[in-house]
Amino acid sequence: MTAEPGGAAGGPGAATVRVRIDRETCLSSQTCVRHLPEVFEIDDEGVAAVLPAVRDADVVDLVEAARGCPVGAIEVLGEDGQPLDID
Amino acid sequence: MSSEYSFDLFNPDETQNMWGLMDEMRTKCPVARTAQGIYYTARFEETERVFKDGKRFSCEGGFRAPGIDIPPDERLMAEIDPPVHPKLRRFLLRSFNPGMAQRAEPFTRDYVRSLFAAVDSKGSGDLVAEVATPIPSAVTGHVLGVDVADIADLSKHLFDLLHTDWPAYGVFDNTKPDERIGIEGSAPELAAHLDGMIADRRSGAVETDDLISQMIEAEVDGERLSDERIRSLAVNFLTAGLSTTNLIGNMIYRLMTDESLDATLRESPELIPAAIEESLRFDPPVLFLFRTAKEETELAGVTLDKGDRIAMGIASANRDATVYDDADEFRIRPDDPEHLAFGAGAHLCLGNHMARMEGRVVVEEYLDRYDFGAMSLAKDYELHLMPHFLEYGPERLDVVVAR
């Protein structure tokens, strides 16, 4: 598991992934927080941030959270650094 | 789609009393046309979708009655689209966030206590006018830089606004609906007070780092904000606090009339936040909000034309039985999906952290100060709701305090 600006992740049965939040794009819809409150929070600048518990999160949940963001501010990156998407 | 599901969206007697109609609509006509030709989404799915899809649905026109146009700088945040909206919102998020709500909590708690103490000293009062209205005004005012001594007057002007047709028409005198005179006409004392604060800060007569000063100093996309914009945003935040007034009124009414809820929260105060969430779901302070279709689009099998207006049925969506078990029951349900009382998507209520904090503090202080029944509704009290088509909260809460 690696750390990346925005947080680190892994999950049972998953390859190493990283979760990145584009803080310039985030508009604090709190969709990610509603979906995974253990993984995402709103910080003192008013935008989303990734919590340490991300390393216990399931990759499928993380990808769903990324998909659910109404402004596309969340990326889940695979080991190759490319955005992950799961069918 | 059928006219039997039609209702008058601008009439509070209808919008505040249509729970049975909402139930029918969710199962039989989930996207129905109101008397004004506005499409109302009754289910959670379509309501949430419209909130979140900024590409297909525009905010312009917002709360205004059809045909009413207002200057761009007078628009409320919920009426502004990209590219301006995200820039303003990003600037404002630096002030409207969980940290700010936490920092405002001590002030809020002291203020709440002083308001309850004032009611106690008289032995009676109207909790809506004397507690539920000033609290959000004071807390938002505190952030904006309004002097706490001015809050009582400002609260009254804000409260009076809800007894006009603002923001639908922007009129002050309901008998002259053709005089669309904006915030200056609707609330002249409020406008004057804010203009004075802005002028004092611009001139340097007052030097602070409050939010009004920050708005004066800000460069959003390389440009300063105009005085009209700053005043409109201040009015936006202060009037949005009136929705929190509904939350507080709804919650206190429930505590005074539901002894088992009162007992549960006394025994388990860690459930207070969840009780606030259930109040927001069950008695949403704002019944619906507006969008306009930017292109031809489809919702629940209904085709909308470009330019069609939509009312996102928050109150109905919050009772959707496909989302909430026992949807028509008020019960604390921390594991159920979150409600739509604050909306969803890029315009999610900026004040949600503040509102949640204020609701929690009021309940904590109420429970701490009064045993069940120590403060009670007056003998001949009858619940009437705030007479505004968008609002859902008591107009008065006349109480007596046992000595």
Side-chain angles (χ1 to χ4, degrees), chain B residues 8-18 62-65 76 157-171 174 186 239-240 242-243 246 284-290 384-395:
Chain B
D8 182 352
L9 199 67
F10 290 87
N11 181 353
D13 288 335
E14 296 194 40
T15 62
Q16 293 173 343
N17 292 296
M18 51 182 271
F63 302 88
R64 311 296 161 165
L76 306 171
H157 299 316
L158 289 164
F159 188 78
D160 287 347
L161 255 190
L162 279 182
H163 292 73
T164 70
D165 278 340
W166 187 88
Y169 295 100
V171 298
N174 293 349
S186 307
T239 52
L242 293 168
S243 303
N246 290 342
V286 175
L287 293 167
F288 50 85
L289 288 168
F290 296 100
H384 295 287
L385 299 178
M386 205 73 83
H388 191 291
F389 62 98
L390 276 172
E391 308 283 323
Y392 195 78
E395 186 175 22

Side-chain angles (χ1 to χ4, degrees), chain B residues 251 254-256 258-267 275 330-332 367:
Chain B
M251 202 61 220
R254 213 166 260 287
L255 283 174
M256 289 196 289
D258 182 343
E259 189 163 6
S260 98
L261 175 68
D262 176 281
T264 300
L265 296 182
R266 276 180 209 278
E267 184 173 312
F330 183 101
R331 62 177 171 80
I332 293 172
L367 293 173

Side-chain angles (χ1 to χ4, degrees), chain A residues 24 27-30 34 44, chain B residues 89-90 97 343 345 348 352:
Chain A
E24 292 304 309
L27 285 179
S28 209
S29 78
Q30 294 172 209
R34 294 184 191 203
D44 277 351
Chain B
R89 187 171 169 100
R90 242 169 249 126
N97 56 55
L348 182 89
N352 77 89

Side-chain angles (χ1 to χ4, degrees), chain B residues 182-195:
Chain B
I183 197 66
E184 277 181 55
S186 307
E189 296 98 330
L190 175 64
H193 190 95
L194 292 169
D195 286 347

Side-chain angles (χ1 to χ4, degrees), chain B residues 159-378:
Chain B
F159 188 78
D160 287 347
L161 255 190
L162 279 182
H163 292 73
T164 70
D165 278 340
W166 187 88
Y169 295 100
V171 298
F172 181 67
D173 181 342
N174 293 349
T175 67
K176 297 179 190 155
D178 291 324
E179 288 183 24
R180 323 253 182 246
I181 41 185
I183 197 66
E184 277 181 55
S186 307
E189 296 98 330
L190 175 64
H193 190 95
L194 292 169
D195 286 347
M197 288 179 69
I198 294 168
D200 282 344
R201 283 149 182 74
R202 272 209 198 280
S203 71
V206 169
E207 280 186 26
T208 81
D209 60 356
D210 55 36
L211 181 55
I212 296 211
S213 300
Q214 289 176 40
M215 288 197 280
I216 289 170
E217 293 304 313
E219 277 191 12
V220 175
D221 204 27
E223 271 183 38
R224 297 294 177 103
L225 302 178
S226 69
D227 282 357
E228 285 72 27
R229 174 83 83 190
I230 294 170
R231 184 180 67 191
S232 295
L233 289 175
V235 169
N236 195 161
F237 306 144
L238 287 166
T239 52
L242 293 168
S243 303
T244 311
T245 295
N246 290 342
L247 166 62
I248 295 169
N250 289 331
M251 202 61 220
I252 296 188
Y253 177 77
R254 213 166 260 287
L255 283 174
M256 289 196 289
T257 54
D258 182 343
E259 189 163 6
S260 98
L261 175 68
D262 176 281
T264 300
L265 296 182
R266 276 180 209 278
E267 184 173 312
S268 311
E270 72 280 3
L271 291 179
I272 293 172
I276 301 280
E277 295 306 304
E278 180 66 349
S279 175
L280 288 164
R281 181 189 78 85
F282 202 78
D283 299 318
V286 175
L287 293 167
F288 50 85
L289 288 168
F290 296 100
R291 292 292 188 270
T292 303
K294 289 167 76 170
E295 57 197 35
E296 185 181 284
T297 189
E298 178 257 327
L299 280 175
V302 174
T303 302
L304 274 59
D305 293 328
K306 174 176 170 174
D308 278 340
R309 287 192 79 199
I310 299 140
M312 300 173 290
I314 292 167
S316 181
N318 280 358
R319 300 289 185 102
D320 192 327
T322 68
V323 175
Y324 306 101
D325 289 335
D326 309 315
D328 277 327
E329 236 181 74
F330 183 101
R331 62 177 171 80
I332 293 172
R333 47 179 83 229
D335 297 327
D336 273 0
E338 200 169 294
H339 53 77
L340 293 174
F342 290 121
H347 289 261
L348 182 89
C349 179
L350 273 172
N352 77 89
H353 310 289
M354 297 276 269
R356 283 163 155 144
M357 179 274 289
E358 288 166 33
R360 174 175 52 79
V361 169
V362 170
V363 171
E364 287 171 354
E365 291 302 313
Y366 167 84
L367 293 173
D368 186 63
R369 197 173 186 96
Y370 308 105
D371 290 337
F372 184 77
M375 176 183 268
S376 56
L377 292 168

Side-chain angles (χ1 to χ4, degrees), chain B residues 15-28:
Chain B
T15 62
Q16 293 173 343
N17 292 296
M18 51 182 271
W19 301 103
L21 177 61
M22 289 175 191
D23 289 345
E24 293 280 307
M25 287 166 73
R26 280 194 302 275
T27 48
K28 303 198 178 126

